Amino acid sequence: GAGVSQSPSNKVTEKGKDVELRCDPISGHTALYWYRQSLGQGLEFLIYFQGNSAPDKSGLPSDRFSAERTGGSVSTLTIQRTQQEDSAVYLCASSLDAQGHNEQFFGPGTRLTVL
Amino acid sequence: GDSVTQMEGPVTLSEEAFLTINCTYTATGYPSLFWYVQYPGEGLQLLLKATKADDKGSNKGFEATYRKETTSFHLEKGSVQVSDSAVYFCALSKGYGGATNKLIFGTGTLLAVQP
């Protein structure tokens, strides 16, 4: 079946602009996660959704970052007033549910470059 | 807080050599432990996992044993191939008792296997 998909695959934007990153999880997966992979910080957790609710937003680096999930499926990560330090690969993952032993399946990522 | 420490890379080996990548963790409770792999130009994928102490995860000739007494989950392979060249990430998650099932990653270890 289809895996986790993300769009766009690459995004180049100018400092100060807003960007939206999209994630389509595996059908039937109730848990959805956003991570960020950057040279300086490695792989870091951003936010977790269970259904349409986000019980853990502790990894969002600032209030410029927000995310939503609708219909228990698609999620959008929005970065407002982008800064150069936001440049990274943004990864989305989904799992069947939120139990700790369940595998998280990752999408290919969106590479964001802020000029 | 919870954390994962893995050996610095890059690790360069000749084909058919023995591989060990060390991983230790700090966590309260009973985390699940994972090794994820990122091949060049590809997304993160699960290599193996172990969900309780003394469990051994194995896949594609790789194996790792969950050692609670040493808080370790070292990755081993008896004979590496060029196709094993990738970045390997050790990670933990909980997802019980109200904790978020987020993955906490180590910094990653680049493995380069030469023919």
Side-chain angles (χ1 to χ4, degrees), chain B residues 42-82:
Chain B
E42 298 185 17
L44 270 174
Q45 53 188 278
L46 180 67
L47 180 60
L48 54 84
K49 69 178 184 181
T51 59
K52 61 182 187 295
D54 300 324
D55 269 2
K56 178 185 285 188
S58 61
N59 186 26
K60 299 181 180 180
F62 291 89
E63 58 182 35
T65 301
Y66 187 163
R67 301 286 188 200
K68 193 163 179 65
E69 64 274 16
T70 54
T71 62
S72 65
F73 192 55
H74 305 321
L75 182 68
E76 296 183 335
K77 186 175 186 182
S79 176
V80 294
Q81 305 300 311
V82 172

Coordinates of all heavy atoms in Angstrom, one line a residue, chain B residues 42-82:
Chain B
E42 N 17.4 8.4 0.4 CA 16.2 7.8 0.8 C 15.7 8.3 2.2 O 16.5 8.9 2.9 CB 16.3 6.2 0.8 CG 16.7 5.7 -0.6 CD 16.7 4.1 -0.5 OE1 16.1 3.5 0.4 OE2 17.2 3.6 -1.5
G43 N 14.5 7.9 2.5 CA 13.9 8.3 3.8 C 14.3 7.3 4.9 O 14.9 6.3 4.7
L44 N 14.0 7.7 6.1 CA 14.3 6.9 7.3 C 13.4 5.6 7.2 O 12.2 5.7 7.0 CB 13.9 7.7 8.5 CG 15.0 8.5 9.2 CD1 14.4 9.3 10.4 CD2 16.1 7.6 9.7
Q45 N 14.0 4.5 7.5 CA 13.2 3.3 7.6 C 13.7 2.5 8.8 O 14.9 2.5 9.2 CB 13.3 2.5 6.4 CG 14.7 2.2 5.9 CD 14.7 1.5 4.5 OE1 14.5 0.3 4.4 NE2 14.9 2.3 3.5
L46 N 12.8 1.8 9.4 CA 13.1 1.0 10.6 C 13.9 -0.2 10.2 O 13.6 -0.9 9.2 CB 11.8 0.5 11.2 CG 12.0 -0.4 12.5 CD1 12.6 0.4 13.6 CD2 10.6 -1.0 12.9
L47 N 15.0 -0.4 10.9 CA 15.9 -1.6 10.7 C 15.5 -2.7 11.6 O 15.3 -3.8 11.2 CB 17.3 -1.2 10.9 CG 18.4 -2.3 10.7 CD1 18.3 -2.8 9.2 CD2 19.8 -1.8 11.0
L48 N 15.4 -2.4 12.9 CA 15.0 -3.4 13.9 C 14.6 -2.7 15.2 O 14.9 -1.5 15.4 CB 16.2 -4.4 14.2 CG 17.5 -3.9 14.6 CD1 17.6 -3.6 16.1 CD2 18.6 -4.8 14.2
K49 N 13.9 -3.5 16.1 CA 13.5 -2.9 17.3 C 13.5 -4.0 18.4 O 13.5 -5.2 18.1 CB 12.1 -2.3 17.2 CG 11.0 -3.4 17.0 CD 9.6 -2.7 16.9 CE 8.5 -3.7 16.8 NZ 7.2 -3.1 16.7
A50 N 13.4 -3.5 19.7 CA 13.3 -4.4 20.8 C 12.4 -3.7 21.8 O 12.6 -2.5 22.1 CB 14.6 -4.8 21.4
T51 N 11.4 -4.3 22.4 CA 10.5 -3.6 23.2 C 10.6 -3.9 24.7 O 10.0 -3.3 25.5 CB 9.0 -3.9 22.8 OG1 8.9 -5.4 22.9 CG2 8.8 -3.5 21.4
K52 N 11.5 -4.9 25.1 CA 11.7 -5.1 26.5 C 13.1 -5.7 26.7 O 13.7 -6.2 25.8 CB 10.6 -6.0 27.1 CG 10.5 -7.4 26.5 CD 9.4 -8.2 27.2 CE 9.4 -9.7 26.7 NZ 9.1 -9.8 25.3
A53 N 13.5 -5.6 28.0 CA 14.8 -6.1 28.4 C 15.1 -7.5 27.9 O 14.3 -8.4 28.0 CB 15.0 -5.9 29.9
D54 N 16.3 -7.7 27.4 CA 16.9 -9.0 26.9 C 16.3 -9.4 25.5 O 16.7 -10.4 25.0 CB 16.6 -10.1 27.9 CG 17.3 -9.8 29.2 OD1 18.4 -9.2 29.2 OD2 16.8 -10.1 30.3
D55 N 15.3 -8.6 25.0 CA 14.9 -8.9 23.6 C 16.0 -8.6 22.6 O 16.8 -7.7 22.8 CB 13.7 -7.9 23.3 CG 12.4 -8.5 23.6 OD1 12.3 -9.6 24.2 OD2 11.4 -7.9 23.3
K56 N 16.1 -9.4 21.6 CA 17.0 -9.2 20.5 C 16.2 -8.9 19.3 O 15.3 -9.7 18.9 CB 17.9 -10.4 20.3 CG 18.8 -10.3 19.1 CD 19.6 -11.5 18.8 CE 20.7 -11.8 19.8 NZ 21.6 -12.9 19.4
G57 N 16.5 -7.7 18.7 CA 15.9 -7.4 17.4 C 16.9 -7.8 16.3 O 18.1 -7.7 16.5
S58 N 16.4 -8.2 15.1 CA 17.2 -8.6 14.0 C 16.6 -8.4 12.7 O 15.3 -8.5 12.6 CB 17.7 -10.1 14.2 OG 16.6 -11.0 14.1
N59 N 17.4 -8.1 11.7 CA 16.8 -7.9 10.4 C 18.0 -7.7 9.4 O 19.0 -7.0 9.7 CB 16.0 -6.6 10.3 CG 15.3 -6.4 9.0 OD1 15.0 -7.3 8.2 ND2 14.9 -5.2 8.7
K60 N 18.0 -8.3 8.3 CA 19.0 -8.1 7.2 C 20.4 -8.4 7.7 O 21.4 -7.8 7.2 CB 19.0 -6.7 6.6 CG 17.6 -6.3 6.0 CD 17.7 -4.9 5.4 CE 16.4 -4.5 4.8 NZ 16.4 -3.1 4.2
G61 N 20.5 -9.3 8.6 CA 21.8 -9.7 9.2 C 22.3 -8.8 10.3 O 23.3 -9.1 11.0
F62 N 21.6 -7.7 10.6 CA 21.9 -6.9 11.7 C 21.1 -7.4 13.0 O 20.1 -8.0 12.9 CB 21.4 -5.4 11.5 CG 22.2 -4.7 10.4 CD1 21.8 -4.8 9.1 CD2 23.3 -3.9 10.7 CE1 22.5 -4.1 8.1 CE2 24.0 -3.3 9.8 CZ 23.6 -3.4 8.4
E63 N 21.7 -7.2 14.1 CA 21.0 -7.5 15.4 C 21.5 -6.6 16.5 O 22.6 -6.0 16.4 CB 21.3 -9.0 15.8 CG 22.7 -9.4 15.9 CD 22.8 -10.9 16.3 OE1 22.0 -11.7 15.8 OE2 23.7 -11.2 17.1
A64 N 20.6 -6.4 17.5 CA 20.9 -5.6 18.6 C 20.1 -6.2 19.8 O 18.9 -6.6 19.6 CB 20.5 -4.2 18.4
T65 N 20.7 -6.2 21.0 CA 20.1 -6.8 22.2 C 19.8 -5.7 23.2 O 20.7 -4.9 23.5 CB 20.9 -7.9 22.8 OG1 21.1 -8.9 21.8 CG2 20.2 -8.4 24.0
Y66 N 18.6 -5.6 23.7 CA 18.2 -4.6 24.7 C 18.8 -5.0 26.1 O 18.3 -6.0 26.7 CB 16.7 -4.6 24.7 CG 16.0 -3.6 25.6 CD1 14.6 -3.3 25.3 CD2 16.6 -2.8 26.5 CE1 13.9 -2.4 26.0 CE2 15.9 -1.9 27.3 CZ 14.6 -1.7 27.0 OH 13.9 -0.7 27.8
R67 N 19.8 -4.3 26.5 CA 20.5 -4.6 27.8 C 20.1 -3.5 28.8 O 20.6 -2.4 28.8 CB 22.0 -4.6 27.6 CG 22.5 -5.6 26.6 CD 22.4 -7.0 27.1 NE 23.1 -7.9 26.2 CZ 22.9 -9.2 26.2 NH1 22.0 -9.8 27.0 NH2 23.5 -10.0 25.4
K68 N 19.2 -3.8 29.7 CA 18.8 -2.8 30.7 C 19.9 -2.6 31.7 O 20.0 -1.5 32.2 CB 17.5 -3.3 31.4 CG 16.8 -2.2 32.2 CD 15.4 -2.5 32.5 CE 14.7 -1.4 33.3 NZ 14.6 -0.2 32.5
E69 N 20.6 -3.6 32.0 CA 21.7 -3.4 33.1 C 22.8 -2.5 32.7 O 23.4 -1.8 33.5 CB 22.2 -4.8 33.5 CG 23.0 -5.5 32.4 CD 22.1 -6.3 31.5 OE1 20.9 -6.2 31.5 OE2 22.7 -7.2 30.7
T70 N 23.0 -2.4 31.3 CA 24.0 -1.5 30.8 C 23.4 -0.3 30.0 O 24.1 0.5 29.5 CB 25.1 -2.2 29.9 OG1 24.4 -2.9 28.9 CG2 25.9 -3.2 30.8
T71 N 22.1 -0.3 30.0 CA 21.3 0.7 29.2 C 21.9 0.9 27.8 O 22.2 2.0 27.4 CB 21.2 2.1 29.9 OG1 22.5 2.7 30.1 CG2 20.5 2.0 31.3
S72 N 22.0 -0.3 27.1 CA 22.7 -0.2 25.8 C 21.8 -1.0 24.8 O 21.0 -1.8 25.1 CB 24.1 -0.9 25.9 OG 24.0 -2.2 26.2
F73 N 22.1 -0.7 23.5 CA 21.4 -1.3 22.4 C 22.3 -1.3 21.2 O 22.1 -0.6 20.2 CB 20.1 -0.6 22.2 CG 19.1 -1.3 21.2 CD1 18.7 -2.6 21.5 CD2 18.6 -0.7 20.1 CE1 17.8 -3.3 20.7 CE2 17.7 -1.4 19.3 CZ 17.3 -2.7 19.6
H74 N 23.5 -1.9 21.3 CA 24.5 -1.9 20.3 C 24.1 -2.6 19.0 O 23.6 -3.7 19.1 CB 25.8 -2.4 20.8 CG 26.3 -1.8 22.1 ND1 26.2 -0.4 22.4 CD2 26.9 -2.3 23.2 CE1 26.7 -0.2 23.5 NE2 27.1 -1.3 24.1
L75 N 24.4 -2.0 17.9 CA 24.1 -2.6 16.6 C 25.3 -3.4 16.1 O 26.4 -2.9 16.1 CB 23.7 -1.6 15.6 CG 23.3 -2.1 14.2 CD1 21.9 -2.8 14.3 CD2 23.2 -0.9 13.2
E76 N 25.0 -4.7 15.7 CA 26.1 -5.5 15.2 C 25.7 -6.2 13.9 O 24.6 -6.5 13.6 CB 26.5 -6.6 16.2 CG 27.0 -6.0 17.5 CD 27.4 -7.1 18.5 OE1 26.9 -8.3 18.3 OE2 28.3 -6.9 19.3
K77 N 26.7 -6.4 13.0 CA 26.6 -7.2 11.8 C 27.9 -8.0 11.6 O 28.9 -7.4 11.7 CB 26.2 -6.4 10.6 CG 25.8 -7.3 9.4 CD 25.3 -6.5 8.2 CE 24.9 -7.5 7.1 NZ 24.4 -6.8 5.9
G78 N 27.8 -9.2 11.3 CA 29.0 -10.1 11.2 C 29.8 -9.8 9.9 O 31.0 -9.9 10.0
S79 N 29.1 -9.4 8.9 CA 29.9 -9.2 7.6 C 29.2 -8.2 6.8 O 28.1 -8.4 6.2 CB 29.9 -10.6 6.8 OG 30.5 -10.4 5.6
V80 N 29.7 -7.0 6.8 CA 29.0 -5.9 6.1 C 29.3 -5.9 4.6 O 30.3 -6.5 4.1 CB 29.5 -4.5 6.7 CG1 29.0 -4.3 8.1 CG2 31.0 -4.3 6.5
Q81 N 28.4 -5.3 3.9 CA 28.4 -5.2 2.4 C 28.4 -3.7 2.0 O 28.0 -2.9 2.8 CB 27.2 -5.9 1.8 CG 27.1 -7.4 2.2 CD 28.3 -8.2 1.8 OE1 28.7 -8.2 0.7 NE2 28.8 -9.0 2.8
V82 N 28.9 -3.5 0.8 CA 28.9 -2.1 0.3 C 27.5 -1.5 0.4 O 27.3 -0.3 0.7 CB 29.4 -2.0 -1.1 CG1 29.3 -0.6 -1.7 CG2 30.9 -2.5 -1.2

